[in-house]
């Protein structure tokens, strides 16, 4: 069966510090991978998606970047965090053939202070 | 630009009540409308979904009603239970295109009182 791992679960970082959140998927190959951010009252905002290794599409301009160094690994990064980067970050995957169903990880609560 | 508008923002019902959550969309090219359920501290999980060729879909106590002409769809939870307390997100996508990504509503926090 397929599983998605996302870590860490919580993270408190000072403004200006770097960020690296990692997500891995097991039990499937060539998945589509996604990073979402969930802010209070703003729903789920798609940040990045990837259909393959090294292929990253950005949905919104921002202080963050994403990379996909391996087929089932997706990384969200920042060189210098801003206060506005605080939020609940969710990684998700979907079957590359049938994109309809998204499977979400358990999320990372990021607080930038 | 918000393409999927969800209401209400929060909802409180008594056990056994029928909470109704509504969503409206703008893009007539959308062809897939799912609902996701999220418990605190967890990622959302797919609950039920509908395509525009049917007006209603039922799975257990959960029903989606779809009105294509009004560009609206809603989630009904029959005989609601305290365990249904969660945040519910509607979404829409155009999967007829080459790469459709889900557009989510802002969510509805449901509390079912015992």
């Amino acid at each position: 069966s397929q599983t998605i791992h996302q870590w860490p679960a919580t993270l408190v970082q000072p403004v200006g510090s770097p960020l690296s959140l990692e997500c891995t998927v097991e039990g499937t190959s060539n998945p589509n991978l996604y990073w979402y951010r969930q802010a209070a009252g703003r729903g789920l905002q798609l940040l990045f998606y990837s259909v393959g290794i090294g292929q990253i599409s950005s949905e919104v301009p921002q202080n963050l970047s994403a990379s996909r160094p391996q087929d089932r690994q997706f990384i969200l990064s920042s060189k210098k965090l801003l206060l506005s980067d605080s939020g609940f970050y969710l990684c998700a995957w979907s079957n590359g053939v049938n994109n309809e169903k998204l499977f979400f990880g358990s999320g990372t609560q990021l607080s930038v202070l | 630009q918000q393409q999927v508008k969800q209401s209400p923002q929060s909802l409180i019902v008594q056990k056994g009540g029928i909470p109704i959550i509504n969503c409206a969309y703008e893009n007539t090219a959308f062809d897939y409308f799912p609902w996701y359920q999220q418990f605190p501290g967890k990622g959302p999980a797919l609950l039920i979904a509908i395509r525009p060729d049917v007006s209603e879909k039922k799975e257990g106590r959960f029903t989606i009603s779809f009105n294509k002409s009004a560009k609206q769809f809603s989630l009904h939870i029959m005989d609601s239970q305290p365990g249904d307390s969660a945040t519910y997100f509607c979404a829409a996508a155009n999967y007829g295109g080459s790469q459709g990504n889900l557009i989510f509503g802002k969510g509805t926090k449901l509390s079912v009182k015992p």
Side-chain angles (χ1 to χ4, degrees), chain B residues 42-85:
Chain B
K42 303 295 184 183
L46 179 65
L47 185 63
I48 185 173
I50 197 169
R51 288 196 171 274
D53 53 345
V54 296
S55 60
E56 185 177 281
K57 183 172 182 180
K58 185 177 297 186
E59 289 187 5
R61 296 183 293 107
F62 300 91
T63 300
I64 299 179
S65 296
F66 184 80
N67 186 329
K68 187 174 181 178
S69 60
K71 293 187 288 185
Q72 295 176 347
F73 58 110
S74 59
L75 177 70
H76 302 233
I77 306 176
M78 307 301 290
D79 186 28
S80 59
Q81 302 296 313
D84 297 328
S85 297

Side-chain angles (χ1 to χ4, degrees), chain B residues 3-8 20-27 30-36 48-52 54-57 63-76 88-93 102-105 108:
Chain B
Q3 297 189 50
V4 179
K5 295 183 178 180
Q6 183 173 346
S7 63
I20 301 173
I21 305 171
N22 301 297
C23 283
Y25 62 96
E26 300 168 2
N27 188 346
F30 287 149
D31 57 9
Y32 176 68
F33 303 89
W35 286 89
Y36 279 75
I48 185 173
I50 197 169
R51 288 196 171 274
V54 296
S55 60
E56 185 177 281
K57 183 172 182 180
T63 300
I64 299 179
S65 296
F66 184 80
N67 186 329
K68 187 174 181 178
S69 60
K71 293 187 288 185
Q72 295 176 347
F73 58 110
S74 59
L75 177 70
H76 302 233
Y88 292 82
F89 293 94
C90 63
L102 284 172
I103 307 296
F104 285 89
T108 296

